[in-house]
């Protein structure tokens, strides 16, 4: 788990979507998706559920977001 992956996760959670996080972090959307994929693989669970209007946190995503420092 890297700082970039955590920063990406927090940005997506706060902004509500991959595209908005990509814009905010000045990265491409595929780069954002790859970071999340790597973090989800590391943790062994999905963190976001993709919905028509953006994303919502899964239970695991909510637990990660609630951790101190997130």
């Amino acid at each position: 788990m890297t700082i970039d992956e955590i920063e990406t996760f927090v940005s997506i959670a706060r902004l509500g979507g991959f595209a908005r996080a990509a814009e905010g972090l000045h990265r491409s959307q595929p780069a954002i998706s790859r970071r999340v994929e790597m973090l989800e693989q590391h943790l062994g669970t999905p963190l976001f559920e993709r919905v028509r209007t953006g994303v919502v946190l899964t239970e695991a995503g909510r637990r990660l977001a609630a951790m101190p420092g997130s």
Side-chain angles (χ1 to χ4, degrees):
M1 186 173 351
T2 68
I3 295 295
D4 284 337
E5 292 167 358
I6 297 298
E7 179 183 47
T8 299
F9 168 79
V10 169
S11 292
I12 295 167
R14 284 188 182 152
L15 298 172
F18 283 59
R20 286 175 243 163
E23 184 177 319
L25 294 171
H26 307 287
R27 304 251 187 248
S28 69
Q29 190 167 344
I32 295 297
S33 295
R34 179 68 182 138
R35 283 194 174 102
V36 170
E37 180 182 317
M38 291 170 58
L39 182 58
E40 289 175 334
Q41 285 178 353
H42 176 81
L43 296 173
T45 189
L47 299 172
F48 296 102
E49 180 181 335
R50 283 77 171 167
V51 295
R52 183 179 306 150
T53 57
V55 295
V56 293
L57 291 169
T58 63
E59 179 61 32
R62 287 190 293 276
R63 284 194 309 266
L64 181 60
M67 292 180 71
S70 292

